[in-house]
Amino acid sequence: MPTNSIDSLLHENRRFPPAAEFSAQSTAKPSIYDDAKADRIGFWADQARELLHWHKPFTETLDWSNAPFARWFADGELNVAYNCLDRHVLAGNGDRVAIHWEGEPGDSRSITYAELTAEVKRAANVLKGLGIRQGDRVAVYMPVIPEAVVAMLAIARLGAVHSVVFGGFSSESLRSRIDDADAKLVITADGGWRKGKVFPLKTAVDGALENGTSTVEHVLVVKRGENDVEWIEGRDLWWHDELAKADAEHEAEGFEAENPLFILYTSGTTGKPKGILHTSGGYLTQVASTHRNVFDLHPETDVYWCTADVGWITGHSYVVYGPLANGATQVLYEGTPDTPHPGRWWELIQKYRVSIFYTAPTAIRSFMKLGRSIPDTFDLSSIRLLGSVGEPINPEAWIWYRDVIGAGATPIVDTWWQTETGGIMISALPGITTLKPGSAQVPIPGIKIDILGEDGTRVDPPQGGLLVVSEPWPAMLRGIWGDPERFRETYWTRFSSGNTWKYFAGDGAHVDSDGDIVLLGRVDDVMNVSGHRLSTQEIESALVSHPIVAEAAVVGAADEATGQAVVAFVILRSDQESAQTVEEASTLLRAHVSQQIGAIARPRQVFVVAELPKTRSGKIMRRLLQDVAEGRELGDTTTLTDTTVMQIITGQVK
Ligand code: WTA
């Protein structure tokens, strides 16, 4: 069961009904709930027809006969890139800015829908020339620059499948993702800007392809960092050279709605990341629909900004596909919030008159720590809606966000969803819902959520339980790349029976007496660090891959700034104990994890211990280690083989 305390999440009692002016102009009207309730499947069919262009209309909405493998709109055909580009130009909106891009060093470009369409057409021709066809996998390892968006859309335009790997992941992580998906091509950059420095992406790609066994034929390199890169003739190609040579015309072909759109790797409970597979029609329907209704998007007047990196699901759904399908104007920013000064984000909101802003609680908390004097020096009056995603937002941060960034008046939507769900699943609708800080509140129209006890029966409010999605939804994952068994096992075995399929999300939740859902964090071995998912086992594997480590256990410990932080406990090999001081070993191992997985996984602390707490069946009791890491009184230790172990560890950690 979840460990977060319900009481600590709900000490804020104020409620915030929508302002009358907001409701009057909002895209979603209260009837949306009734419509979806009256005919859930029909509701999604209407959304698909209203919001998307179909090359060939669908006649069947959902085929669930092969559950848990869903097919939505299966006999329909569409082109995802056409939906995000050409049709806006054809509708007369070619001059509308699609992307106001800002580089970290201060360079900027504003790109219209007509320009973006033209660039994607050229890029699609380049990829086609390199042999990329429908179904082929292309890895994208890029900074947040417009070319990352162009690359994703060009791949989608050809009916090929992208696998975007976050630029902060190591060469090792990139290699395993390229290999798992058998990528044919890698699109990268010579570097990207982060905290005032260029990080060398191309070098990492070279490292990932070093053993020469991969299926990659070419590496397409965008010039961004202007740093020296090694070059393999024949394999490596400059993006700008190839685009300049490419044909400007490219006609978008329709692909079936279930054509795979992308694979995105995410951490699970076991060591190896899972390749979450998403397809085209259902995914695009739900991200377009939620982007429009949850963010109350008015594409003619709004300027939207989601701060996520394109390497995460939030970047896929709410930077690339949702906003572009809806013809939105958005801000895209390459760098970190505090470079070159801690007011950089607020400066960008002021500069582009951002009206809808979507970010993560961890960022909000770090700004809170710096104080309101920084945002107060900027003009944030353009903001009319705020959003939050990635982890529970504590009421204190919620109130600060509303007061300081939202001038004490702006609605906040706290959106719960996952890489697997593809799009937002639980959120208020800002013109309809009375907002309650600390709660993601209600399923969006057309989504069915339940909170179950361990025995699978619905819990009575206000008890806590496990969150499940009880009916299939359009943007649901269609599987784990290459591993259908793991797909069933991970999500569908726990609460399904007979013909009733329930998706187990891995989150604990609680329903309060108003029927609002409060998320309580993960119930499995997945950690959430600054809104990023990390697996305890993956980090343990990285630690034991180091020659000085005999055994390792990793826990996510509560952290004021990052939500959770990685804390590791290691036993050194006996021949290594004297060779390393505890500090040396700890420093070495933190760097090792960073090199193996990426800096986001670097443990906050590595404790060298003599033993780990184990049950009689040999299972490590992470719960007790978490108590130590969080400086708490130890929980029940009676199932340990040796109860003195915990006293020793506590002593060592102190
Ligand atoms: C957590 C990110 C509480 C949750 C979109 C989920 C949240 C995991 C919220 C998915 C929220 C995300 N409130 N918890 N509003 N949003 N989570 O796949 O534990 O990176 O299971 O997707 O983040 O993380 P992922």
Side-chain angles (χ1 to χ4, degrees):
M1 275 296 126
T3 50
N4 289 13
S5 144
I6 293 165
D7 293 345
S8 76
L9 287 168
L10 286 181
H11 57 71
E12 170 62 60
N13 292 320
R14 276 177 290 170
R15 302 290 175 259
F16 302 89
E21 315 82 76
F22 196 103
S23 300
Q25 59 80 59
S26 108
T27 59
K29 302 296 173 211
S31 58
I32 193 172
Y33 287 104
D34 305 327
D35 294 347
K37 208 166 173 189
D39 179 5
R40 197 183 80 85
I41 304 288
F43 168 79
W44 285 117
D46 289 346
Q47 294 290 300
R49 291 192 187 101
E50 272 167 37
L51 296 171
L52 305 184
H53 170 88
W54 293 85
H55 272 65
K56 179 176 161 234
F58 57 90
T59 60
E60 190 188 15
T61 306
L62 169 66
D63 175 5
W64 191 226
S65 59
N66 188 30
F69 297 91
R71 292 169 65 77
W72 283 85
F73 317 120
D75 63 346
E77 286 178 9
L78 79 168
N79 185 294
V80 170
Y82 181 92
N83 271 283
C84 293
L85 303 164
D86 312 46
R87 67 166 169 146
H88 303 313
V89 179
L90 294 169
N93 294 321
D95 291 339
R96 184 184 295 161
V97 171
I99 296 174
H100 288 297
W101 175 73
E102 189 88 9
E104 194 187 78
D107 48 340
S108 64
R109 282 161 70 189
S110 288
I111 304 165
T112 64
Y113 273 94
E115 290 163 344
L116 193 64
T117 305
E119 183 128 335
V120 170
K121 284 182 176 177
R122 280 184 185 277
N125 283 326
V126 170
L127 301 190
K128 199 169 136 195
L130 294 174
I132 301 302
R133 299 285 179 268
Q134 179 181 8
D136 286 342
R137 274 82 58 204
V138 179
V140 175
Y141 186 61
M142 301 265 258
V144 179
I145 54 178
E147 288 80 359
V149 179
V150 173
M152 290 164 76
L153 292 170
I155 295 162
R157 195 174 182 92
L158 297 176
V161 185
H162 55 71
S163 165
V164 182
V165 180
F166 171 58
F169 277 124
S170 67
S171 201
E172 276 301 314
S173 297
L174 175 62
R175 183 209 312 262
S176 66
R177 285 160 174 77
I178 289 174
D179 289 350
D180 187 73
D182 289 326
K184 224 169 157 177
L185 171 73
V186 181
I187 307 179
T188 187
D190 58 349
W193 287 90
R194 204 160 185 84
K195 292 193 194 290
K197 283 197 279 219
V198 171
F199 59 97
L201 291 160
K202 169 68 164 62
T203 316
V205 173
D206 292 339
L209 302 180
E210 184 175 64
N211 57 10
T213 55
S214 91
T215 41
V216 172
E217 294 166 7
H218 291 285
V219 178
L220 202 47
V221 189
V222 176
K223 210 178 192 67
R224 166 66 188 145
E226 301 288 343
N227 52 337
D228 288 334
V229 288
E230 303 223 344
W231 207 251
I232 296 188
E233 285 306 329
R235 187 196 73 178
D236 298 347
L237 303 162
W238 284 113
W239 169 273
H240 58 267
D241 285 346
E242 299 305 310
L243 256 80
K245 286 188 277 184
D247 194 343
E249 264 323 304
H250 182 274
E251 199 179 329
E253 182 189 334
F255 295 99
E256 29 179 81
E258 284 298 336
N259 192 52
L261 178 62
F262 64 86
I263 304 168
L264 185 59
Y265 288 84
T266 188
S267 295
T269 48
T270 60
K272 194 171 161 249
K274 308 176 277 204
I276 303 300
L277 175 68
H278 282 287
T279 59
S280 305
Y283 172 79
L284 200 62
T285 297
Q286 191 173 336
V287 298
S289 165
T290 48
H291 183 257
R292 184 178 139 87
N293 292 320
V294 173
F295 297 111
D296 187 43
L297 182 80
H298 295 268
E300 313 76 29
T301 47
D302 275 317
V303 178
Y304 164 86
W305 183 18
C306 164
T307 63
D309 191 291
V310 292
W312 306 109
I313 191 66
T314 309
H316 283 57
S317 302
Y318 297 105
V319 175
V320 181
Y321 293 111
L324 296 177
N326 287 334
T329 295
Q330 69 176 317
V331 171
L332 190 68
Y333 171 56
E334 177 185 35
T336 46
D338 52 358
T339 309
H341 61 82
R344 187 71 193 272
W345 277 9
W346 319 126
E347 183 182 64
L348 291 176
I349 290 177
Q350 172 180 286
K351 176 173 174 185
Y352 293 108
R353 308 280 311 146
V354 169
S355 55
I356 305 169
F357 182 65
Y358 189 32
T359 194
T362 186
I364 300 163
R365 286 192 302 266
S366 66
F367 290 123
M368 264 173 91
K369 225 181 339 188
L370 297 175
R372 69 175 296 158
S373 62
I374 298 170
D376 278 352
T377 55
F378 295 92
D379 175 9
L380 307 181
S381 62
S382 53
I383 291 183
R384 63 178 198 90
L385 178 63
L386 297 168
S388 172
V389 62
E391 56 179 310
I393 175 165
N394 48 309
E396 201 190 350
W398 197 104
I399 296 290
W400 189 89
Y401 196 24
R402 178 175 167 105
D403 281 350
V404 177
I405 310 305
T410 308
I412 297 175
V413 285
D414 174 4
T415 62
W416 178 89
W417 58 293
Q418 309 178 299
T419 305
E420 292 88 340
T421 68
I424 294 170
M425 302 292 275
I426 305 176
S427 171
L429 295 184
I432 304 173
T433 320
T434 291
L435 302 173
K436 181 187 287 181
S439 166
Q441 301 198 284
V442 284
I444 59 154
I447 296 296
K448 181 85 172 66
I449 303 272
D450 281 306
I451 313 295
L452 306 181
E454 297 279 358
D455 62 355
T457 56
R458 227 172 271 150
V459 298
D460 293 322
Q463 278 179 65
L466 302 170
L467 189 140
V468 300
V469 188
S470 317
E471 300 283 354
W473 64 103
M476 68 195 291
L477 76 164
R478 299 301 197 264
I480 293 177
W481 186 256
D483 203 343
E485 215 24 66
R486 190 174 177 197
F487 171 62
R488 281 173 187 277
E489 186 66 22
T490 311
Y491 306 107
W492 301 100
T493 49
R494 184 137 183 191
F495 292 115
S496 304
S497 65
N499 270 338
T500 319
W501 295 88
K502 289 181 196 288
Y503 168 89
F504 172 50
D507 277 45
H510 141 90
V511 186
D512 68 15
S513 46
D514 302 326
D516 283 322
I517 300 170
V518 178
L519 275 306
L520 300 171
R522 301 287 306 193
V523 293
D524 53 13
D525 294 331
V526 172
M527 293 170 287
N528 189 328
V529 179
S530 300
H532 300 319
R533 264 166 79 167
L534 296 170
S535 139
T536 51
Q537 283 200 27
E538 192 181 353
I539 300 175
E540 285 166 6
S541 309
L543 286 165
V544 295
S545 76
H546 196 282
I548 67 169
V549 177
E551 264 192 273
V554 165
V555 297
D559 184 286
E560 223 177 85
T562 58
Q564 282 189 306
V566 180
V567 176
F569 297 83
V570 298
I571 303 177
L572 298 185
R573 281 176 191 270
S574 51
D575 55 334
Q576 293 287 340
E577 271 167 18
S578 49
Q580 309 274 341
T581 68
V582 167
E583 283 81 51
E584 280 166 359
S586 163
T587 311
L588 190 69
L589 293 173
R590 291 178 69 235
H592 177 68
V593 172
S594 183
Q595 186 239 323
Q596 288 286 306
I597 302 175
I600 46 166
R602 185 193 296 130
R604 183 184 72 188
Q605 287 152 308
V606 175
F607 294 114
V608 175
V609 294
E611 270 187 86
L612 291 170
K614 287 187 187 151
T615 60
R616 279 170 249 283
S617 59
K619 214 171 153 269
I620 294 174
M621 290 193 72
R622 292 205 183 81
R623 178 173 57 79
L624 294 175
L625 293 174
Q626 193 164 10
D627 289 342
V628 176
E630 294 178 350
R632 243 197 325 264
E633 229 13 61
L634 286 186
D636 183 10
T637 57
T638 48
T639 50
L640 288 179
T641 3
D642 175 1
T643 48
T644 58
V645 168
M646 283 317 297
Q647 287 158 9
I648 299 172
I649 294 180
T650 313
Q652 283 176 313
V653 168
K654 276 194 180 129

